[in-house]
Amino acid sequence: MDSREDDGGEPLSRMAEWRDVTPLPQDDGPNPVVPIAYKEEFRETMDYFRAIYKADERSPRALRLTRRAIHLNPGNYTVWHFRRLVLEALNADLDEELDFLQRIANSNSKNYQLWHHRRWVVERLGANARAKELNLIKKILSIDAKNYHAWSHRQWVLQALGGWEDELDYCQQLLEEDIFNNSAWNQRYFVVTRSPYLGGLKAMRASEVRYTVEAILANPNNECPWRYLQGLYKDDIKALVNDPEISSVCLKVINTKNNYVFALKMLLDLLCHGFQPCHEFRDSVVALRTSDTDPLGPDLSMAICDILEHVDSLRASYWIWRKNKLSVAAV
Amino acid sequence: MESFRSLTVTQRDQILVEQQVFDIFKTFYNLPPSSQSFMLELQRENHVEYLTKGLTGLSPSFCVLDANRPWICYWILHSIALLDEFVDPELENNTIDFLSRCQGPNGGYAGGPGQMPHLATTYAAVNSLVTLGGDKALSSINREKLYMFLRQMKDASGGFRMHDGGEIDVRACYTAISVASLLNILDDELVQNVGNYILSCQTYEGGISGEPGSEAHGGYTFCGLATMILINEVDRLDLSSLTDWVVFRQGVEGGFQGRTNKLVDGCYSFWQGGIFALLKRLNSTKEVKPIPLGDGEGSGEESPQTTTSSDAAGEEGLNGDLSLGGSHSEIGDQHNTSSQDNVIDIDHNHSKGHANVEPLFNSLALQQYILLCSQELNGGLRDKPGKSRDHYHTCYCLSGLSVCQRSWLEDEDSPPLPRAVLVVSRSLGFRDLWVQNVR
């Protein structure tokens, strides 16, 4: 197994090891479109790869060749695929493969093929690879806490190999660093709903609502906790409407007269689902009215739509549409 | 006001982008009208030049896209088509020939000659050929073999693998199903369980993720929604929460973000903007009787006013600085010279009762972002100011622009209405059109 990063860029045609192989040029045709002005090293490497691929040669030198090709173009899924065939045929040491992947992870953190290959390797290594994997993903997320591939991979590891015990704490930590990180909120939802250690969504709901309400009050303009709150009551709208904590946080934020778009929106959604507001709600909404909004009509939902049309004017069309849906729904 | 240092990474990154974008808007507003007009022009010739050059030659740095060449074809050809231009017959023939060499012996198209077939490059190649049109292009597609390839990529979960032994996700479902639909080879075997898989990818936020459990994301939401429509299972999705999610993906910059609290990116002009076109089409096909949009409330019959020019002309143009109106010789299909007298000022806040034809997103704002922030005057479009142009962003920014210009139409095949197209009407003063007071 080659421990060096690459062959130092030495031309393959000059290497004794490759003397028996006739490189296979790309069949681009006489007048290709989108032709790339390949550098010599690239062209040559791929010519040799094509030859080996066609011959289906699954040898150690083939393995080294795929590494060379991957360095030149990590997006070549054919090379990655063939590398997997060779690794299997050679019964190669997959821990070393993980090390190889680790070395190229940082510069390829958004590469589909790399993450897919990692999944394939880890699947074969099994539970023993779990800790190392979760650790690597943490490292990548410490550089970019929203890397989509890293998060998908993390979810796959948890589901395939376990390791749920510390995950809620990890989410907590990330949210403490950046309460606006939607990937962390999404992961929180994933853990709360799927962890075999936590008892499921309903069991976790009360404590999660408390946590989320706190996050809302700290930054009412943060969309994440509002959507998360709604998520906690997925498929259970009645419970959402009946939970006084929900309507209460809406009221609190509206009363600050600041950053209240999501609060108003949530109140609107509650009303649409049958929430019966006491007079406090109407008073608070009326108090938002500025001189350039028309007097608010008797219907609270419509009044909210009117206000949102003005204070969230980017989405004026949407609020008008919501309002029109109300007038149709009204009996 | 918190000090810059106590802000989170999300807040900091967002503020930096907002500053750049608002600087551009501020500069724009301080220009004389003639310069403003120029800034809002679509630089057709320069875009076409940039695109055509790519078709005929790419620099060595493109070797990282060596397994994506049909994609580069598609991004270029689709963009050229959007600009109402044509590729010369020789290039057309060369493209057909090249793509044939990417077609695998067992069906499907690869990223380049000699590579394994892949669903994404299959999508790109097929759509390139369909865009070129004509007998030669279309007959070069081996439909029978392609069907076999799709069947092989089908997974028990209902999803599809991108290639032999490849990853399964919502993108793969879309590329497979859309190609099958386009080529009329869609059958029960391919459709089986796809709906279940995509349904399992709709998240608590309302958008759709790449795999079950992942974060709601614009690209996957477009793919998921489009696929459900194609297999006639769209009503299984929670469309009202999907709509609600995507509406909030448009930001103060006017453009769209891919996920909640992430940065604006020009390509989402299409991935997110296009969702509205799909939703609108769903609503309009349901106009016959009021059909709920997923939550039991009718939406098709109230206030059946269609927005006509005469309605709009009645509105006082008070705040309509950037107006939708007139026909600008550089934009859309119209080639008549613009006359400022024809321009209609519309205050977008006052379009009450026009909800039926007005799009649910802010088309004006998106056009402003695309033209002022994504467009490079030398040709090509980009993610955001500070990023470089590329063919991918050129394709999807232009696609998004097209969605905007057609967003008022009932009939997708008509040319854009004059009032849907963003032009400069008169002297503009500086205004924060969409900075929210409540931030």
Side-chain angles (χ1 to χ4, degrees):
Chain A
M1 201 71 60
D2 186 14
S3 59
R4 291 159 60 203
E5 282 298 311
D6 52 52
D7 300 322
E10 192 192 340
L12 297 161
S13 59
R14 292 222 221 106
M15 288 165 72
E17 173 183 41
W18 290 101
R19 203 175 295 143
D20 62 303
V21 174
T22 310
L24 185 55
Q26 182 163 257
D27 180 24
D28 240 8
N31 298 298
V33 289
V34 294
I36 300 169
Y38 305 117
K39 289 210 169 109
E40 185 50 35
E41 187 195 356
F42 187 95
R43 190 198 54 75
E44 187 195 56
T45 303
M46 291 316 295
D47 284 352
Y48 276 88
F49 173 77
R50 273 181 281 272
I52 294 297
Y53 180 60
K54 187 171 180 193
D56 199 14
E57 183 191 308
R58 305 187 190 185
S59 65
R61 71 175 178 179
L63 192 68
R64 286 194 296 280
L65 186 59
T66 60
R67 178 192 289 228
R68 188 168 158 134
I70 283 167
H71 279 302
L72 293 168
N73 177 16
N76 193 320
Y77 57 91
T78 304
V79 174
W80 283 103
H81 172 80
F82 188 66
R83 186 175 175 86
R84 287 190 278 277
L85 295 178
V86 177
L87 287 168
E88 261 179 338
L90 297 180
N91 203 22
D93 183 332
L94 293 180
D95 280 299
E96 282 196 32
E97 186 68 1
L98 280 189
D99 290 339
F100 159 62
L101 291 172
Q102 192 131 347
R103 284 197 295 277
I104 67 171
N106 282 343
S107 48
N108 290 290
S109 64
K110 301 206 176 172
N111 173 303
Y112 277 103
Q113 286 73 38
L114 179 133
W115 288 102
H116 179 66
H117 191 79
R118 261 208 105 78
R119 230 184 256 207
W120 182 88
V121 172
V122 169
E123 205 163 35
R124 273 147 187 77
L125 287 174
N128 289 333
R130 181 178 86 197
K132 196 172 176 181
E133 205 58 14
L134 291 174
N135 231 7
L136 171 89
I137 301 168
K138 249 193 210 183
K139 278 213 192 86
I140 304 244
L141 290 174
S142 70
I143 301 170
D144 174 5
K146 302 184 184 183
N147 184 319
Y148 201 86
H149 299 278
W151 280 115
S152 296
H153 187 63
R154 193 171 183 86
Q155 291 190 345
W156 175 81
V157 172
L158 289 167
Q159 290 188 291
L161 304 176
W164 295 93
E165 302 88 341
D166 303 318
E167 198 63 10
L168 191 59
D169 282 342
Y170 179 55
C171 292
Q172 184 93 349
Q173 178 207 320
L174 288 178
L175 288 172
E176 269 164 34
E177 288 168 14
D178 187 352
I179 196 69
F180 295 89
N181 183 345
N182 196 60
S183 307
W185 281 100
N186 184 75
Q187 185 71 354
R188 195 179 177 105
Y189 194 82
F190 180 78
V191 175
V192 160
T193 50
R194 301 186 194 221
S195 168
Y197 294 97
L198 295 176
L201 182 56
K202 277 220 167 83
M204 294 292 291
R205 189 182 279 162
S207 59
E208 286 301 292
V209 167
R210 275 195 299 275
Y211 175 81
T212 310
V213 164
E214 219 182 286
I216 286 174
L217 292 172
N219 290 94
N221 62 333
N222 183 3
E223 188 173 339
C224 300
W226 291 102
R227 295 218 177 257
Y228 188 79
L229 202 54
Q230 208 136 23
L232 292 174
Y233 286 94
K234 198 161 158 21
D235 303 325
D236 201 355
I237 293 289
K238 234 177 145 187
L240 175 78
V241 171
N242 292 332
D243 186 343
E245 284 216 52
I246 310 295
S247 45
S248 160
V249 70
C250 294
L251 190 61
K252 274 207 186 89
V253 174
I254 292 170
N255 284 340
T256 68
K257 297 209 175 82
N258 199 21
N259 292 326
Y260 52 79
V261 168
F262 292 119
L264 274 182
K265 172 174 155 1
M266 173 70 94
L267 183 55
L268 176 65
D269 290 336
L270 291 174
L271 291 167
C272 288
H273 286 116
F275 175 63
Q276 303 294 323
C278 63
H279 70 89
E280 254 194 288
F281 286 90
R282 188 176 166 84
D283 292 345
S284 296
V285 169
V286 168
L288 292 176
R289 191 166 72 85
T290 59
S291 53
D292 50 317
T293 55
D294 298 327
L296 300 178
D299 186 285
L300 186 56
S301 302
M302 293 223 184
I304 292 175
C305 288
D306 282 337
I307 294 175
L308 284 169
E309 199 191 314
H310 285 94
V311 301
D312 188 22
S313 58
L314 177 67
R315 274 167 275 277
S317 312
Y318 177 64
W319 298 121
I320 293 168
W321 180 74
R322 287 287 302 260
K323 190 167 138 187
N324 285 339
K325 285 215 300 174
L326 292 175
S327 54
V328 171
V331 178
Chain B
M1 178 65 185
E2 306 163 80
S3 73
F4 199 69
R5 252 164 285 117
S6 71
L7 296 175
T8 71
V9 171
T10 299
Q11 288 176 304
R12 197 193 59 214
D13 288 348
Q14 174 62 22
I15 285 173
L16 289 172
V17 170
E18 275 182 28
Q19 279 174 353
Q20 275 202 292
V21 168
F22 290 146
D23 273 348
I24 291 173
F25 290 163
K26 192 169 175 181
T27 306
F28 173 77
Y29 280 115
N30 288 328
L31 292 172
S34 55
S35 305
Q36 288 178 335
S37 260
F38 174 73
M39 295 301 295
L40 287 181
E41 276 179 29
L42 190 58
Q43 299 297 322
R44 304 179 135 232
E45 282 98 40
N46 290 343
H47 294 322
V48 171
E49 195 188 320
Y50 167 67
L51 291 161
T52 316
K53 255 201 336 229
L55 211 46
T56 54
L58 298 166
S59 73
S61 60
F62 277 85
C63 65
V64 294
L65 287 179
D66 188 41
N68 299 81
R69 288 169 68 199
W71 267 123
I72 309 177
C73 282
Y74 171 71
W75 298 327
I76 291 174
L77 290 174
H78 181 60
S79 300
I80 290 175
L82 283 172
L83 293 165
D84 233 2
E85 290 287 340
F86 298 94
V87 160
D88 75 59
E90 197 189 330
L91 267 182
E92 236 188 75
N93 280 328
N94 293 342
T95 304
I96 297 169
D97 178 76
F98 171 70
L99 291 174
S100 308
R101 293 168 195 273
C102 295
Q103 190 165 206
N106 295 322
Y109 290 81
Q115 300 173 28
M116 280 166 59
H118 189 292
L119 277 179
T121 45
T122 299
Y123 170 89
V126 169
N127 279 286
S128 297
L129 292 164
V130 170
T131 301
L132 290 176
D135 222 34
K136 185 160 186 229
L138 299 178
S139 59
S140 72
I141 304 171
N142 189 326
R143 288 165 68 246
E144 292 79 28
K145 290 245 166 77
L146 206 155
Y147 174 76
M148 291 313 305
F149 171 62
L150 295 178
R151 284 291 300 270
Q152 283 193 314
M153 294 305 102
K154 178 86 177 170
D155 182 76
S157 65
F160 286 82
R161 292 191 177 277
M162 283 301 235
H163 59 85
D164 182 16
E167 67 272 22
I168 300 173
D169 63 25
V170 166
R171 235 183 1 148
C173 295
Y174 171 67
T175 49
I177 297 292
S178 66
V179 158
S181 171
L182 197 52
L183 297 177
N184 203 20
I185 52 178
L186 190 61
D187 69 6
D188 291 339
E189 297 292 332
L190 291 175
V191 167
Q192 200 177 182
N193 267 337
V194 173
N196 291 337
Y197 180 77
I198 293 174
L199 207 57
S200 74
C201 292
Q202 183 168 25
T203 83
Y204 69 89
E205 288 196 82
I208 297 173
S209 60
E211 294 176 81
S214 297
E215 204 180 342
H217 181 293
Y220 296 118
T221 304
F222 177 86
C223 289
L225 179 63
T227 307
M228 292 299 263
I229 293 173
L230 287 170
I231 65 174
N232 206 20
E233 291 184 36
V234 70
D235 288 327
R236 298 178 67 192
L237 289 168
D238 183 346
L239 290 174
S240 61
S241 76
L242 195 152
T243 305
D244 189 80
W245 175 82
V246 69
V247 160
F248 274 87
R249 302 292 52 83
Q250 187 166 23
V252 289
E253 308 91 344
F256 280 93
Q257 63 190 184
R259 303 178 251 165
T260 305
N261 282 345
K262 287 217 73 183
L263 299 175
V264 66
D265 180 335
C267 71
Y268 293 113
S269 307
F270 178 73
W271 300 119
Q272 304 282 34
I275 288 169
F276 292 96
L278 293 176
L279 291 173
K280 179 163 152 303
R281 193 163 187 184
L282 284 179
N283 292 348
S284 68
T285 59
K286 290 170 180 180
E287 218 84 306
V288 181
K289 58 182 168 94
I291 288 181
L293 214 57
D295 58 3
E297 297 167 69
S299 59
E301 295 205 317
E302 74 286 3
S303 41
Q305 304 169 38
T306 51
T307 314
T308 62
S309 316
S310 54
D311 283 349
E315 320 254 308
E316 283 309 303
L318 18 100
N319 300 317
D321 295 317
L322 282 179
S323 73
L324 307 173
S327 40
H328 195 289
S329 57
E330 298 301 317
I331 300 175
D333 298 330
Q334 274 104 310
H335 292 283
N336 27 319
T337 48
S338 69
S339 158
Q340 299 298 359
D341 297 328
N342 289 338
V343 160
I344 298 150
D345 295 326
I346 300 175
D347 180 339
H348 64 283
N349 279 337
H350 283 235
S351 338
K352 288 185 175 38
H354 297 157
N356 270 352
V357 280
E358 191 159 332
L360 291 184
F361 70 104
N362 194 320
S363 164
L364 179 91
L366 181 57
Q367 289 185 62
Q368 181 171 302
Y369 179 81
I370 294 171
L371 292 168
L372 296 179
C373 300
S374 280
Q375 183 172 224
E376 270 202 30
L377 296 178
N378 302 332
L381 292 97
R382 64 193 165 215
D383 164 352
K384 56 169 68 66
K387 296 278 171 83
S388 306
R389 66 186 180 179
D390 59 51
H391 303 107
Y392 166 82
H393 283 94
T394 302
C395 173
Y396 292 107
C397 286
L398 288 175
S399 299
L401 187 61
S402 178
V403 167
C404 289
Q405 293 184 353
R406 290 166 188 278
S407 54
W408 267 264
L409 293 170
E410 287 296 344
D411 168 16
E412 290 91 17
D413 293 325
S414 324
L417 297 173
R419 62 192 163 71
V421 175
L422 181 62
V423 294
V424 172
S425 63
R426 50 180 159 78
S427 173
L428 304 180
F430 175 63
R431 265 195 83 234
D432 294 352
L433 277 180
W434 10 91
V435 172
Q436 295 178 39
N437 310 331
V438 291
R439 262 186 182 257

